[in-house]
Amino acid sequence: MNTPTSEVLNLAADLLERREWTQGNPGMLVSESDPLCIMGAIGAAAGVTETLRWSTTETLYYQPAVERCPAHAAVVAHLGDRIEDVGSRILVEAEVQLWEWNDAPGRTAAEVIEVLRAAAAVEAAREDSLDRTRLMSLVAEAEANAS
């Protein structure tokens, strides 16, 4: 069974509170005790074990499995246009990446944790709505089969 996205996001925020938040490459190296960036926290919370992939210049780093994680997509969706408001514009595939938002000058741990918690709340509401919809569908199906 997959862990709900809201739980992954809350766990990522918990990890940042326990292990501390950082910016840059060290935050992507997911060990048991090192500080984490937003990408490292999402990866650790989601149980991602895929190794980092580096560019030839070693200035561009990302974890493809984290970028495919529903929790990553939820944070990007929650940030919306705000993710475009980062100080540097290192473009990867024509869009600003979540790690760039994390690494923007002046970004704080409190902001990152707040965004993770807010995205978790949005996802929890969405998950709850989907659960109610599924339940109503199952009840309707059971009533139809009983007739």
Side-chain angles (χ1 to χ4, degrees), residues 61-144:
Y61 43 89
Y62 62 101
Q63 197 162 1
V66 173
E67 291 178 342
R68 292 189 302 267
C69 176
H72 177 276
V75 173
V76 170
H78 177 72
L79 283 169
D81 292 339
R82 290 181 289 167
I83 202 167
E84 298 292 334
D85 293 336
V86 295
S88 67
R89 293 285 302 169
I90 303 168
L91 297 180
V92 179
E93 297 173 7
E95 60 185 55
V96 177
Q97 301 296 303
L98 185 55
W99 61 264
E100 281 188 282
W101 178 86
N102 179 88
D103 291 356
R107 183 75 59 227
T108 66
E111 287 175 296
V112 175
I113 291 166
E114 178 184 331
V115 161
L116 286 168
R117 298 265 188 233
V122 169
E123 285 301 303
R126 187 186 66 74
E127 292 159 0
D128 184 52
S129 174
L130 289 174
D131 288 345
R132 279 193 305 247
T133 301
R134 284 188 199 119
L135 178 61
M136 291 185 326
S137 175
L138 289 172
V139 168
E141 185 178 314
E143 288 174 349

